[in-house]
Amino acid sequence: MKTLVGCVISIVLVVSLSFAQENTSENWKLFKSTTGFTVSYPASWFRKGISTDRLMILSSKGGAEGLIIKRGQAVISVMEEREYLNASLSDVVDEYVKDTEVLSRTNIQNQNAEIRGCRELLEIVSKVPAVPPEDVPGPVPFFILTEYFCELNRHKYVTVLRNFEGDRKQAAYREVALRVAESLRTY
């Protein structure tokens, strides 16, 4: 009986340690923008481009130039919307969703926010054609956009997750995108 209990305790410890290691800051990198914010992102994701004012990461290698992703892949972008300094956050949101089909809007309280972080995030999930419908002879593929908006000292920040509709990893991508958005800090 002692041996069985010892084995169970050992298994629980190994699983707990493995889970804890997956979720430590060692597995996340810090991006520092030239526009005054930092954000953490998974070390297993791949930085795209050399921009220092915004972060763009891919869930896997590959895809084409620009924001083109392949099926089974996601891209997350984090940026300050500098064009909208004198606009409201609602104006920024309206601009982002104007050509999309909005599926949901949710206010999220960021329990991990510090003074320089986003205490409140607006999550908007929407759907947009991946290509113009007139360019496709058959059914049009769609992107699902999960966007997180926040405002700090009149500065508007947007985290955008883009992946194909129906992707099995959608929930996992969304968890990563939310964690990235919650990690945003100004400096």
Side-chain angles (χ1 to χ4, degrees):
M1 185 69 173
K2 281 185 176 180
T3 307
L4 179 61
V5 170
C7 286
V8 169
I9 290 172
S10 295
I11 291 170
V12 168
L13 282 173
V14 168
V15 170
S16 296
L17 287 173
S18 295
F19 182 76
Q21 286 175 346
E22 285 179 21
N23 292 303
T24 64
S25 60
E26 293 175 341
N27 294 324
W28 284 65
K29 293 182 178 181
L30 185 69
F31 170 79
K32 185 174 182 179
S33 77
T34 54
T35 60
F37 73 89
T38 63
V39 68
S40 297
Y41 66 96
S44 60
W45 286 51
F46 300 89
R47 280 262 328 259
K48 185 153 176 91
I50 58 170
S51 177
T52 57
D53 65 341
R54 67 182 59 214
L55 173 68
M56 186 180 301
I57 55 173
L58 292 168
S59 61
S60 61
K61 287 187 177 180
E65 287 302 311
L67 288 178
I68 309 288
I69 58 173
K70 60 187 180 182
R71 290 205 179 268
Q73 186 179 45
V75 62
I76 296 175
S77 303
V78 184
M79 69 214 81
E80 177 185 353
E81 275 301 343
R82 299 183 71 92
E83 288 180 40
Y84 301 99
L85 194 56
N86 295 318
S88 70
L89 187 61
S90 293
D91 292 336
V92 174
V93 171
D94 290 346
E95 189 62 31
Y96 269 76
V97 302
K98 73 178 177 186
D99 294 325
T100 69
E101 178 186 337
V102 175
L103 304 173
S104 69
R105 288 178 183 255
T106 308
N107 288 314
I108 298 173
Q109 297 299 313
N110 182 359
Q111 304 302 321
N112 300 318
E114 298 169 1
I115 290 174
R116 297 174 295 122
C118 298
R119 292 180 185 194
E120 218 175 275
L121 295 163
L122 173 60
E123 177 193 72
I124 297 187
V125 179
S126 58
K127 178 175 159 174
V128 64
V131 295
E134 60 273 9
D135 291 351
V136 181
V140 176
F142 285 89
F143 285 129
I144 297 298
L145 306 175
T146 305
E147 298 166 316
Y148 297 95
F149 299 88
C150 83
E151 184 171 10
L152 292 166
N153 301 321
R154 296 188 43 206
H155 296 267
K156 285 77 173 174
Y157 298 95
V158 184
T159 301
V160 179
L161 163 65
R162 177 187 301 253
N163 61 271
F164 279 96
E165 181 180 40
D167 192 315
R168 304 177 282 139
K169 298 177 187 173
Q170 169 68 36
Y173 293 150
R174 197 167 171 182
E175 283 180 30
V176 170
L178 176 58
R179 186 167 167 192
V180 168
E182 288 178 332
S183 76
L184 189 138
R185 303 287 184 268
T186 58
Y187 63 90

